[in-house]
Amino acid sequence: MKEIIEQQREYFNSNVTKPLSFRLAALKTLKKVLKDNQNQLDAAIKKDFGKQRFENLLTELYVVQDDLTVAIDNLEVWASNKPIPTNVLNDPSTCYIMAEPLGVSLIIGPWNYPYQLTLAPIVAAIAAGCTAIIKPSELTVNSSSLIAKLINENFDSKYLHVVLGGIPETTALLEQKFDKIFFTGSVPVGKIVYQAAAKHLTPVTLELGGKSPVIIMEDSDLELTVKRLVWGKFLNSGQTCIAPDYVFVHSKIENKFLELLTTEIKTREYKLENGNLVQIVNDRNTTRLANLIDPGKVHYGGKVDVKNRLIEPTILTNVTWDDKVMQEEIFGPILPVMTFNNLKEVIRQIKERPKPLALYLFTKSEETKNKVLSEVSFGGGCVNDTIMHISVGALPFGGVGDSGIGSYHGEEGFKSFSHYKSILDKPFTPEPEIKFSPYTTEKIQMMESLVN
Ligand code: NAD
């Protein structure tokens, strides 16, 4: 690993990765490789956790291809110097900000969207002109091996290289000096990565998790609300970092909401037996999730097929913050429902807890919308939808506080792998005498007129 990192540093220092033509060619190669290997990508992820072709296309490959297209179309503008107005003290001079790639980067990915969450940061690293060592999750053996094969066979290891492995390999990587670390994963491991980065003063992007709330107001279009909620919650069997974690529904509409929720789950044919459910990634997580289901609070579902790692969409009611399911990020197809009468109370309860990665609000009221959006801090989210903010390539995606540091997608991704140099560019003449001593009365008066 050390040798590859050194080779990447040498390669980066040779300036090969900096010209736009090089970066564009690499982005186009990646685009073609992913397109040409779609069937293999499908087969591998299906083996890992039964992800269906439609979900793979929508939530993995589309997002990466969209990121690639946006980067290819906009790279020239992103990479161009940004003019900044100068001031009277420095007249005549030109000021500008110049983007430069940070250097050798490390990208660490999670298992839940193994392609998207490993490849989208690679797109950003390539666009910025960095080299990258990539460490996908060890839990999705087939998808991660395929990423390694596709990247390592199509790119020089001096430029991009995938390393496979788990905690020991990641720990060894984190001991090395990188110029940028881009981590996607859990909050506890995010803290480990941040500490390791601090030893080398390496800048980080941390894309973490947390419990993302849904608030459903009395005035929402309840049928559509439920349809969008069920889609977002049970997509990938709830194993989505921005999945709705729990619901706060206004008490006056709770009964109707629960009735619609049950009907919608049935309509979508989410059943243990019919092959429509994405599997839970491993036995440990299946058992962990099964233990979060309090049988006394099950309103719908609750069945678990441990052998096949399947869990039926499960609704829990009469839930309180003391329940086990409310003590950790669920990351599975279990939806706890709590009720409220007063929005202020909901806001207070969310604000008392770690800042969520996402928040979803369903309402027709502008006033409610403004209140929630301006008073609650969270990474990003939707009004009257779930999840879909991540699908807009031009919207920065990231967390805040416990849910992460920094953001990416589109230009934000480019920025996260770049340093912005500030340049003051001056001609040799003229050179006004004012700043040089001796400081005469006239000079002091001139300075006073500038200050006052
Ligand atoms: P994880 O933190 O367990 O693992 C992520 C990566 O870190 C893996 O590559 C793993 O090999 C490595 N790793 C694990 N333990 C480590 C250790 N002790 N030292 C060094 N490296 C270690 O996360 P996960 O289970 O793969 O993913 C689920 C979590 O990721 C959830 O919390 C979810 O919310 C979060 N997530 C966040 C985003 C986002 O974009 N913000 C996206 C997906 C997942």
Side-chain angles (χ1 to χ4, degrees):
M1 272 190 263
K2 246 183 166 162
E3 203 178 307
I4 292 178
I5 296 168
E6 272 162 27
Q7 286 170 358
Q8 287 209 353
R9 194 167 298 288
E10 206 175 302
Y11 192 63
F12 177 76
N13 285 337
S14 75
N15 297 315
V16 183
T17 64
K18 291 183 183 172
L20 286 193
S21 54
F22 179 92
R23 303 187 217 177
L24 284 169
L27 291 169
K28 285 175 187 166
T29 302
L30 183 56
K31 205 168 183 15
K32 183 168 178 339
V33 167
L34 296 179
K35 189 164 174 260
D36 292 349
N37 290 281
Q38 223 175 68
N39 288 339
Q40 278 199 64
L41 287 158
D42 249 0
I45 205 163
K46 188 150 194 159
K47 262 196 208 160
D48 280 330
F49 52 135
K51 182 122 87 174
Q52 305 204 13
R53 184 170 172 83
F54 181 85
E55 281 204 18
N56 186 33
L57 289 171
L58 175 75
T59 63
E60 301 267 10
L61 304 182
Y62 173 80
V63 179
V64 182
Q65 288 290 4
D66 190 49
D67 255 24
L68 279 160
T69 308
V70 171
I72 290 167
D73 291 349
N74 295 285
L75 188 57
E76 201 176 334
V77 175
W78 297 346
S80 62
N81 293 347
K82 307 277 179 296
I84 300 291
T86 184
N87 55 16
V88 64
L89 204 60
N90 291 293
D91 203 29
S93 67
T94 331
C95 289
Y96 47 90
I97 298 172
M98 187 180 173
E100 67 172 16
L102 283 169
V104 180
S105 65
L106 171 64
I107 294 168
I108 303 171
W111 55 264
N112 61 324
Y113 289 92
Y115 299 143
Q116 184 204 140
L117 299 173
T118 311
L119 295 165
I122 300 179
V123 174
I126 296 175
C130 290
T131 70
I133 304 275
I134 302 113
K135 212 298 290 176
S137 172
E138 68 280 23
L139 299 191
T140 40
V141 177
N142 299 288
S143 316
S144 296
S145 305
L146 183 57
I147 294 171
K149 179 176 180 293
L150 297 180
I151 297 289
N152 294 350
E153 282 180 1
N154 289 284
F155 295 92
D156 195 326
S157 64
K158 288 186 288 208
Y159 178 41
L160 302 176
H161 185 72
V162 178
V163 174
L164 293 174
I167 297 177
E169 291 76 9
T170 321
T171 307
L173 275 170
L174 286 169
E175 280 163 12
Q176 308 302 315
K177 181 175 168 55
F178 289 92
D179 303 304
K180 168 79 192 181
I181 298 178
F182 191 108
F183 171 80
T184 307
S186 61
V187 176
V189 181
K191 289 179 183 170
I192 294 172
V193 171
Y194 204 7
Q195 277 173 357
K199 287 197 183 129
H200 299 287
L201 288 177
T202 300
V204 293
T205 297
L206 300 176
E207 297 283 343
L208 310 178
K211 289 182 87 61
S212 299
V214 180
I215 306 171
I216 303 175
M217 302 299 294
E218 223 185 323
D219 66 352
S220 70
D221 177 332
L222 206 51
E223 270 185 38
L224 258 184
T225 298
V226 166
K227 194 172 182 179
R228 292 173 183 173
L229 168 66
V230 165
W231 180 81
K233 175 69 192 185
F234 300 111
L235 181 78
N236 211 30
S237 278
Q239 302 170 105
T240 305
C241 55
I242 47 170
D245 189 276
Y246 62 95
V247 169
F248 265 122
V249 62
H250 195 284
S251 61
K252 281 195 185 153
I253 53 170
E254 186 195 10
N255 289 343
K256 182 77 189 155
F257 168 71
L258 290 172
E259 189 190 317
L260 288 170
L261 200 55
T262 310
T263 310
E264 180 63 17
I265 292 170
K266 286 181 185 157
T267 306
R268 298 296 139 213
E269 300 183 6
Y270 289 133
K271 288 186 196 154
L272 285 187
E273 309 79 24
N274 61 6
N276 278 351
L277 297 180
V278 172
Q279 287 171 291
I280 305 305
V281 73
N282 58 15
D283 294 345
R284 190 175 62 82
N285 267 301
T286 312
T287 315
R288 177 185 67 81
L289 287 163
N291 288 334
L292 295 183
I293 301 174
D294 175 347
K297 298 199 170 184
V298 172
H299 174 80
Y300 178 87
K303 280 191 242 151
V304 181
D305 173 355
V306 179
K307 188 166 154 271
N308 292 306
R309 307 193 322 261
L310 293 172
I311 298 182
E312 196 179 19
T314 299
I315 313 293
L316 303 179
T317 48
N318 298 315
V319 173
T320 71
W321 287 106
D322 294 330
D323 288 308
K324 212 169 161 199
V325 76
M326 295 307 289
Q327 310 288 315
E328 60 184 82
E329 179 183 2
I330 298 171
F331 224 56
I334 303 166
L335 185 64
V337 177
M338 301 198 284
T339 58
F340 72 94
N341 290 308
N342 184 340
L343 179 62
K344 249 184 171 172
E345 193 44 34
V346 171
I347 292 178
R348 186 187 63 75
Q349 292 184 43
I350 297 173
K351 285 172 81 163
E352 274 175 5
R353 296 177 165 79
K355 294 180 179 180
L357 181 59
L359 182 144
Y360 304 111
L361 169 68
F362 289 86
T363 183
K364 287 182 188 147
S365 154
E366 281 298 307
E367 196 187 330
T368 304
K369 183 169 90 178
N370 293 337
K371 186 172 174 61
V372 173
L373 296 187
S374 62
E375 291 186 16
V376 185
S377 178
F378 55 94
C382 306
V383 176
N384 299 331
D385 206 350
T386 62
I387 307 274
M388 292 310 284
H389 60 298
I390 198 175
S391 70
V392 182
L395 270 181
F397 177 83
V400 58
D402 284 59
S403 55
I405 296 174
S407 53
Y408 74 130
H409 286 188
E411 190 171 7
E412 285 309 304
F414 174 89
K415 285 183 185 168
S416 70
F417 283 87
S418 300
H419 163 66
Y420 284 84
K421 276 182 199 156
S422 294
I423 307 295
L424 179 138
D425 189 336
K426 220 175 198 177
F428 280 113
T429 55
E431 178 54 77
E433 270 301 303
I434 177 164
K435 81 175 180 204
F436 301 100
S437 70
Y439 300 123
T440 59
T441 312
E442 193 194 1
K443 285 183 184 176
I444 292 171
Q445 279 171 353
M446 273 173 77
M447 212 47 229
E448 278 174 350
S449 73
L450 286 179
V451 170
N452 298 312

